């Protein structure tokens, strides 16, 4: 496992954190859309209080490390690598607390099969090795998702849920698949959901303990964390080359293992 300083440097070099690829314009557009009530950016969550554009920007500066200055409207935006590492460690503690229970039931899902799947797969394998049962509800369920109305289907790869579109694993923000999966469980909900995008938002909205990964242009999950519906959100660029996530994943897996009772 890399030291904290080494990991921080690697996160910045690969642009998982630091100066990220997501533009300032894109971030602010999403913050404004969420503040204006666009459900797409809420990622399956509802909120207990009104969140203004300025409120969301301030939260994202605190939780993800984007530039706090509202007059900075174009160009580069950032994720603070220190916040990423802190959140990884907090996520590890939360996962370990669940895995310490005999027969823990865990559900994995990702809307980023070309990126974050590289994090989910080793973590899912660890959960199985530590005695957890990975749930796979809804496999094969098909619906008309946000991909231009084409049918999309829940598919699992090593017990991690994703969507496929005629055999291709696809990026999605949709919350409907997770809603269906939880409905199929008929009240016998997981002990923990580990997810991102609408998969995480829908789980948190349903009251399921949830930890999540989110980019700085996905403010809904950070607002959900601020309101207590999501336990931990790790800020990171969610679509860099999969191999770049290896050191971060190694820290997460190692920290979970270290936190478990011998």
């Amino acid at each position: 496992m890399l030291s904290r300083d080494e990991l921080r440097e690697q996160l910045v070099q690969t642009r998982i954190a630091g100066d990220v690829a997501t533009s300032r314009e894109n971030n602010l557009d999403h913050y404004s859309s969420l503040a204006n009530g666009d459900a797409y950016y809420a990622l399956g969550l509802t909120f207990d209080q009104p969140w203004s554009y300025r409120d969301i920007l301030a939260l994202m500066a605190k939780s993800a490390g984007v530039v706090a200055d509202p007059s900075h409207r174009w160009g580069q935006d950032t994720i603070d690598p220190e916040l990423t590492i802190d959140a990884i460690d907090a996520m590890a503690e939360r996962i370990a607390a669940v895995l310490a229970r005999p027969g823990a039931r865990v559900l994995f899902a990702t809307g980023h099969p070309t990126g974050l799947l590289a994090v989910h797969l080793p973590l899912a394998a660890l959960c199985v090795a530590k005695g957890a049962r990975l749930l796979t509800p809804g496999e094969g369920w098909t619906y008309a998702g946000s991909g231009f109305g084409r049918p999309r289907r829940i598919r699992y790869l090593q017990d991690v849920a994703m969507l496929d579109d005629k055999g291709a694993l696809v990026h999605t923000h949709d919350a409907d698949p997770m809603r269906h999966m939880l409905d199929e469980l008929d009240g016998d909900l997981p002990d923990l959901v580990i997810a991102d995008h609408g998969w995480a938002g829908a789980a948190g909205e349903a009251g399921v303990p949830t930890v999540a990964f989110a980019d700085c242009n996905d403010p809904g999950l950070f607002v959900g964390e601020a309101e207590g519906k999501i336990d931990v959100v790790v800020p990171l660029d969610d679509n860099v080359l999969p191999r770049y996530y290896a050191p971060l994943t190694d820290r997460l897996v190692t920290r979970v293992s270290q936190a478990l009772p011998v």
Side-chain angles (χ1 to χ4, degrees), residues 17-42:
D19 291 342
V20 292
T22 309
S23 70
R24 180 66 168 186
E25 300 95 302
N26 184 264
N27 279 345
L28 298 187
D29 176 71
H30 288 198
Y31 303 168
S32 177
S33 296
L34 181 61
N36 289 330
D38 189 330
Y40 178 82
Y41 297 97

Side-chain angles (χ1 to χ4, degrees), residues 184-260:
E184 189 173 288
L185 291 172
D186 193 25
D188 192 17
L189 297 177
D191 298 303
L192 184 67
V193 166
I194 303 172
D196 48 70
H197 284 175
W199 304 93
E205 181 67 19
V208 180
T210 301
V211 294
F213 304 94
D215 209 327
C216 55
N217 64 350
D218 291 327
L221 294 185
F222 292 96
V223 175
E225 180 185 33
E227 291 203 352
K229 290 187 173 183
I230 307 288
D231 292 350
V232 179
V233 179
V234 175
L236 80 182
D237 188 308
D238 56 14
N239 195 32
V240 302
L241 292 177
R243 61 187 173 87
Y244 289 167
Y245 295 111
L248 176 152
T249 305
D250 183 47
R251 183 181 183 93
L252 179 56
V253 168
T254 301
R255 290 280 182 169
V256 172
S257 298
Q258 290 173 341
L260 286 168

Side-chain angles (χ1 to χ4, degrees), residues 99-246:
L99 294 183
R101 308 171 196 165
R105 302 164 71 252
V106 183
L107 179 56
F108 281 85
T110 183
H112 258 299
T114 61
L116 292 179
L117 180 60
V119 182
H120 288 287
L121 288 175
L123 192 55
L126 173 69
C127 289
V128 171
K130 298 302 182 181
R133 177 188 170 198
L134 301 191
L135 305 181
T136 57
E139 186 167 28
W141 179 71
T142 302
Y143 78 116
S146 59
F148 306 102
R150 292 193 301 267
R152 289 182 164 187
R153 178 178 58 177
I154 296 174
R155 175 174 287 191
Y156 284 86
L157 176 61
Q158 296 179 23
D159 297 332
V160 179
M162 291 163 286
L163 290 184
D164 86 346
D165 180 347
K166 295 184 178 179
L169 298 174
V170 296
H171 170 263
T172 181
H173 284 217
D174 288 1
D176 286 340
M178 178 59 77
R179 293 189 185 111
H180 175 82
M181 289 156 64
L182 296 179
D183 285 346
E184 189 173 288
L185 291 172
D186 193 25
D188 192 17
L189 297 177
D191 298 303
L192 184 67
V193 166
I194 303 172
D196 48 70
H197 284 175
W199 304 93
E205 181 67 19
V208 180
T210 301
V211 294
F213 304 94
D215 209 327
C216 55
N217 64 350
D218 291 327
L221 294 185
F222 292 96
V223 175
E225 180 185 33
E227 291 203 352
K229 290 187 173 183
I230 307 288
D231 292 350
V232 179
V233 179
V234 175
L236 80 182
D237 188 308
D238 56 14
N239 195 32
V240 302
L241 292 177
R243 61 187 173 87
Y244 289 167
Y245 295 111

Side-chain angles (χ1 to χ4, degrees), residues 61-113:
K62 176 183 176 182
S63 298
V66 304
V67 177
D69 183 0
S71 68
H72 176 53
R73 302 194 58 81
W74 299 276
Q76 184 65 56
D77 214 339
T78 60
I79 292 175
D80 185 343
E82 296 288 352
L83 294 176
T84 303
I85 298 170
D86 287 346
I88 283 290
D89 292 350
M91 177 183 280
E93 291 181 7
R94 186 69 189 89
I95 294 170
V98 172
L99 294 183
R101 308 171 196 165
R105 302 164 71 252
V106 183
L107 179 56
F108 281 85
T110 183
H112 258 299

Side-chain angles (χ1 to χ4, degrees), residues 34-36 46-56 223 227:
L34 181 61
N36 289 330
T46 61
F47 305 119
D48 297 329
Q49 66 183 63
W51 286 81
S52 70
Y53 166 77
R54 290 293 184 98
D55 291 337
I56 293 170
V223 175
E227 291 203 352

